[in-house]
Amino acid sequence: ATAAALSVTAVLLAAAVDALAAWAGLGRAWSLSASAAVGIAIAFIVGGWLVYDLLCRSPLAQDARIF
C-alpha cells in the first residue's frame, strides 16, 4: 500500500469513529477516553479484516471483474 492510500484510510477511519461516537450519543469522538478510542479503533480494524477475509474466501474472489 502506498503512503497516500494509508493516509486516506486513516482519515476515513477517524471520520467513521467520529460519526459512530456522535450517533451513539457520546458527543464528539475527540472527547472519548483513550481506552474507548482504542477499543473503537481495534473493533474497526478487526471488523474490516473479517469482512476482507470473508470476501476473499467467497465465490466473489474468483470473479476477475471484482478482484
Side-chain angles (χ1 to χ4, degrees):
T2 65
L6 292 176
S7 297
V8 169
T9 302
V11 169
L12 291 175
L13 179 60
V17 169
D18 191 49
L20 179 63
W23 175 77
L26 299 173
R28 303 300 298 177
W30 314 126
S31 66
L32 291 174
S33 69
S35 59
V38 168
I40 291 171
I42 290 172
F44 268 94
I45 291 169
V46 170
W49 175 74
L50 288 173
V51 169
Y52 174 78
D53 190 56
L54 290 172
L55 284 172
C56 286
R57 294 173 189 249
S58 76
L60 291 174
Q62 308 306 319
D63 191 346
R65 294 174 298 171
I66 296 174
F67 280 101

